[in-house]
Amino acid sequence: MRLFSLLFVSTLLSSIVSAQNIAIIPQPVSLQTLKGNFRLTTQTTIGYGQTAGRPVADMLAARLNAPTGYHLKVQRQGLIQLHLNAKPNATLGNEGYTLDVTAQNVRITANEPAGLFYGVQTLLQLFPPGIESQTPVKKVVWNAPAVRITDYPRFGWRGMMLDVSRHFFSKEDVKRYIDRMARYKYNVFHWHLTDDNGWRIEIKSLPNLTKTGACRVQRYGKWGQYEAPKPGEPATDCGFYTQDDIREVVAYAAERYVTILPEVDVPGHSMAAIASYPELCCTKDTSIRVNPGSKFAEWYGNGQFKMLVDNSMNPSSEQVYAFLDKVFTEMAPLFPNAYVHVGGDECYHGYWENDPGCKALMEKEGLKNTHELQSYFMKRVEKILQSKGKKMIGWDEILEGGLAPEAAVMSWRGLEGGIEAAKLGHNVVMTPNDYVYTDLLQGDPIVEPDQTSYKRVRLTKTFEFEPVPDNIDPKYILGGQANLWSEKVLTIRQAEYMTYPRAWALADTYWSAKGNKNWDAFIKRMERHMERSDAAGCNYARSAYDAIVTATEKDGKLFASVATEINGLDVYYTLNEALPDSYTLHYTQPVEIPEGPVTLKVITYRDGKPVGKMIALPRAELLRRTGKQTDDD
Ligand code: ACM
């Protein structure tokens, strides 16, 4: 009797513990926890059901075999059964699935293989973190708690952008980035392939683009402060993808139900193309080199800027349209995505204003200003794309001067561009920089790798993002993205650090049902995914654990206030140079900072253990912070 009840209690306990450990990102639409666990053993079989389910079953077997060391059989019927619905379940759509885990077996159903793939991602997240390991892990009981899940995405466009121009990422790095995003049910990889700092895609009919445009002079130090190329200096820092590389990455992404949105950024951001073919710009300046990260622009705030080097294509030149025709002729068949991104952002019109060809074109076409001239350019580009069977998407500047007839808009300078485009009946992808730009600081610059970022987007801010503004027909909002610009990102580990956990928060936003957000619950799930990422060898930032230190002056005295993003943390501090820990001063209210060469050192703890990084702020830095309006700048 005693033995029986002990057994009963321990079974109950283990099912409670497993249920508490359930931490799915993105949060499923409906999740019911049941009693018991499904145990993966050497005898477990994977059933693919229909032939179309086979690749997903094979992928699941590979994911399970690596950490367990098992050699699971994939056959038509199995203990883990995939099943494609003969009659589509309307609730599930193209990407939804049901997942039923019982002590005996697992069943995933979907209308399409993509749904099976997403069901598999959820199933994998039910197993212990070690399941993410790529090498066998010993002494783990591979249990998945019994659940019943019905799940489908809120948005069809769940993207991540990676800039490979400012810094080049190898095709292996790009695949890794795609593999990680697919685990969180992202399905669009926006590949920013060209910019001022490198042209990264082979165009066979335009060989200079990769011979010249993919190379720049080697520099070390701080981006934006590098020395400009010296005359005659060899350009040895090179990188581009051959068309075979592109096909390989596209296929790899497709296996993960990720479609690739390629971007060729025109008419601005084109210095690498212009360095390759100087006739593309108004000045035809043959001394223009691929920019290595040296200063070439002046930014005046309020969206005003001046390019000190001509990096804009000439909208009055037929050679430019012939060039783009060649580029898109070769690109269109490489990328199955219906859309091609053509940039359109931050184009400097100063060289156009003084160019006789541009002036004559404006006169001839009745274009009132250079915004209308850019609009003329974008409309011509749209026609070229349409002739290749593609649709155009561009950054929200393409609204200025009149939107091309069928264009979709990627709204980055806030939500306003997206709102305007949706009101005009155009499709929109929402990527407002102050919520989803993952190149921006996520914590205190004192302890972040990029100390000079112009802006901050903390995890809390990203978590709050709602892509559908009020009074907009939601059907025009295709979805959103997390965008990573790579000026300060040199390695894939660094890219991951910038991407996660903010992209986990956004995975919820883009996939999960609206209105189910709960910060504390998200943090619990985030922590489980940090463990999983550790097992996978994938990087992420712990910046959300760090203290947020602001400063104010009152009656001639300086005060420091400390807050935390994550609830339930303790803050300890010192003013006497000692390292802060749980035995030093406990923060409860704003701290007066004495006169003199004082440094405030703070650290966060939870349950008696340090969880944040120590932040040391000299008095001068605190004084500087008194001038700040918000924590964002
Ligand atoms: C952008 O961030 N310039 C689109």
Side-chain angles (χ1 to χ4, degrees):
M1 179 65 196
R2 260 183 82 94
L3 185 65
F4 170 79
S5 59
L6 262 178
L7 260 176
F8 176 75
V9 169
S10 80
T11 315
L12 193 73
L13 217 62
S14 88
S15 77
I16 290 170
V17 169
S18 327
Q20 275 179 348
N21 272 338
I22 292 177
I24 313 291
I25 293 180
Q27 178 70 37
V29 171
S30 132
L31 184 159
Q32 190 188 346
T33 56
L34 306 168
K35 267 214 190 105
N37 290 292
F38 175 80
R39 180 168 299 191
L40 193 75
T41 71
T42 51
Q43 300 310 307
T44 304
T45 47
I46 300 176
Y48 58 83
Q50 299 86 336
T51 310
R54 177 96 207 207
V56 179
D58 286 338
M59 191 172 280
L60 173 61
R63 288 278 307 271
L64 293 173
N65 287 341
T68 59
Y70 301 164
H71 302 279
L72 302 183
K73 281 211 181 75
V74 177
Q75 51 201 38
R76 196 167 279 277
Q77 300 299 324
L79 277 184
I80 300 178
Q81 184 64 43
L82 310 186
H83 175 77
L84 285 169
N85 297 323
K87 188 167 156 287
N89 171 336
T91 309
L92 299 183
N94 291 338
E95 296 182 298
Y97 64 91
T98 64
L99 167 63
D100 287 280
V101 179
T102 68
Q104 286 72 42
N105 54 34
V106 174
R107 185 174 168 85
I108 300 173
T109 75
N111 298 333
E112 299 288 339
L116 296 179
F117 178 81
Y118 293 130
V120 158
Q121 303 316 309
T122 301
L123 172 64
L124 286 162
Q125 291 189 18
L126 291 172
F127 286 107
I131 209 78
E132 295 289 337
S133 173
Q134 280 144 55
T135 51
V137 187
K138 301 250 157 54
K139 296 203 184 105
V140 180
V141 180
W142 299 108
N143 272 354
V147 288
R148 163 160 290 180
I149 289 175
T150 301
D151 201 15
Y152 46 86
R154 180 174 171 206
F155 295 103
W157 187 308
R158 305 176 300 279
M160 275 197 200
M161 189 207 80
L162 182 65
D163 166 9
V164 296
S165 174
R166 273 55 178 269
H167 283 104
F168 182 69
F169 290 85
S170 68
K171 73 178 172 193
E172 283 72 29
D173 283 347
V174 170
K175 283 184 186 173
R176 177 182 163 127
Y177 201 70
I178 291 170
D179 184 55
R180 295 303 309 175
M181 62 182 268
R183 291 169 191 226
Y184 295 104
K185 304 187 176 83
Y186 282 89
N187 65 353
V188 179
F189 176 64
H190 173 174
W191 211 353
H192 185 78
L193 286 163
T194 76
D195 214 298
D196 299 308
N197 317 96
W199 180 283
R200 306 302 189 187
I201 174 171
E202 178 190 33
I203 303 296
K204 292 178 200 274
S205 60
L206 296 161
N208 289 359
L209 284 175
T210 40
K211 206 170 112 231
T212 303
C215 294
R216 64 192 190 213
V217 298
Q218 183 77 57
R219 290 288 180 268
Y220 301 97
K222 282 208 185 315
W223 183 271
Q225 297 173 20
Y226 293 145
E227 197 184 345
K230 294 191 272 266
E233 185 181 357
T236 55
D237 185 2
C238 302
F240 70 92
Y241 311 101
T242 65
Q243 294 193 1
D244 281 343
D245 291 338
I246 300 269
R247 276 186 276 270
E248 189 180 319
V249 175
V250 166
Y252 181 91
E255 283 166 16
R256 287 154 183 78
Y257 298 90
V258 170
T259 176
I260 296 187
L261 173 74
E263 179 180 352
V264 169
D265 199 346
V266 290
H269 285 273
S270 291
M271 207 183 300
I274 287 168
S276 314
Y277 296 99
E279 63 272 22
L280 295 174
C281 71
C282 290
T283 57
K284 302 187 173 52
D285 181 349
T286 53
S287 72
I288 292 173
R289 308 277 308 269
V290 179
N291 181 274
S294 52
K295 182 176 168 188
F296 68 91
E298 280 173 355
W299 300 90
Y300 308 122
N302 284 338
Q304 304 296 310
F305 54 88
K306 177 178 180 178
M307 296 297 169
L308 308 171
V309 177
D310 188 357
N311 71 338
S312 313
M313 292 193 176
N314 176 358
S316 71
S317 164
E318 286 306 314
Q319 278 174 297
V320 165
Y321 301 106
F323 167 89
L324 290 173
D325 194 287
K326 283 184 180 168
V327 168
F328 294 132
T329 298
E330 293 192 38
M331 279 179 67
L334 290 173
F335 296 97
N337 197 315
Y339 282 101
V340 171
H341 199 305
V342 294
D345 58 319
E346 296 173 325
C347 179
Y348 181 60
H349 296 173
Y351 299 97
W352 297 357
E353 278 156 11
N354 300 315
D355 181 73
C358 287
K359 285 196 222 168
L361 178 67
M362 288 173 73
E363 175 90 27
K364 177 169 156 244
E365 296 289 330
L367 307 173
K368 290 194 284 299
N369 52 46
T370 52
H371 289 307
E372 292 191 5
L373 182 55
Q374 178 161 342
S375 165
Y376 167 90
F377 172 88
M378 302 310 316
K379 286 173 184 156
R380 294 262 323 245
V381 173
E382 177 171 71
K383 284 220 175 75
I384 297 173
L385 283 176
Q386 285 170 342
S387 76
K388 319 290 170 209
K390 296 292 185 187
K391 298 196 268 192
M392 180 168 99
I393 183 165
W395 301 110
D396 54 63
E397 284 93 335
I398 67 171
L399 280 152
E400 293 164 2
L403 192 52
E406 310 283 333
V409 168
M410 193 170 275
S411 191
W412 74 277
R413 295 177 296 180
L415 295 166
E416 294 71 23
I419 293 171
E420 189 185 334
K423 284 192 172 151
L424 293 168
H426 289 249
N427 285 335
V428 170
V429 178
M430 285 294 195
T431 71
N433 67 87
D434 42 359
Y435 290 96
V436 311
Y437 267 30
T438 49
D439 57 313
L440 299 178
L441 277 175
Q442 51 194 319
D444 196 303
I446 299 266
V447 287
E448 288 298 326
D450 168 18
Q451 309 200 335
T452 55
S453 181
Y454 61 98
K455 216 178 194 181
R456 176 163 37 233
V457 178
R458 290 191 187 273
L459 180 61
T460 30
K461 186 82 189 276
T462 305
F463 180 80
E464 285 165 14
F465 178 46
E466 167 49 45
V468 183
D470 293 339
N471 307 321
I472 288 296
D473 186 340
K475 81 172 187 211
Y476 292 117
I477 311 297
L478 302 181
Q481 298 193 159
N483 291 350
L484 183 57
W485 302 101
S486 66
E487 285 91 339
K488 317 258 180 77
V489 181
L490 280 80
T491 65
I492 194 68
R493 293 271 305 161
Q494 179 70 10
E496 290 165 355
Y497 177 92
M498 300 308 288
T499 303
Y500 303 101
R502 287 181 288 192
W504 292 332
L506 290 173
D508 274 1
T509 301
Y510 300 146
W511 177 285
S512 309
K514 191 183 171 188
N516 276 347
K517 282 191 183 177
N518 177 305
W519 173 248
D520 292 333
F522 168 72
I523 293 301
K524 285 210 177 88
R525 283 185 292 128
M526 174 192 83
E527 292 182 332
R528 298 284 80 77
H529 283 265
M530 288 180 169
E531 287 172 43
R532 306 185 81 80
S533 298
D534 286 339
C538 177
N539 206 4
Y540 54 86
R542 295 178 57 86
S543 313
Y545 289 98
D546 296 342
I548 301 174
V549 186
T550 51
T552 47
E553 262 184 312
K554 194 159 175 256
D555 304 331
K557 291 178 180 163
L558 177 62
F559 291 90
S561 299
V562 186
T564 59
E565 286 195 88
I566 292 177
N567 294 317
L569 305 190
D570 291 306
V571 177
Y572 296 97
Y573 68 98
T574 63
L575 292 164
N576 62 0
E577 295 297 316
L579 291 176
D581 66 16
S582 54
Y583 293 85
T584 61
L585 297 162
H586 190 201
Y587 179 88
T588 52
Q589 60 183 43
V591 178
E592 187 183 336
I593 308 298
E595 296 282 344
V598 176
T599 296
L600 170 70
K601 292 183 182 165
V602 297
I603 190 162
T604 51
Y605 269 62
R606 187 170 60 191
D607 302 332
K609 299 222 167 55
V611 287
K613 297 187 276 296
M614 186 191 76
I615 302 176
L617 298 146
R619 197 172 199 281
E621 170 62 18
L622 290 168
L623 268 176
R624 198 188 63 77
R625 290 187 184 193
T626 59
K628 300 277 168 182
Q629 299 301 303
T630 68
D631 174 53
D632 294 347
D633 47 33

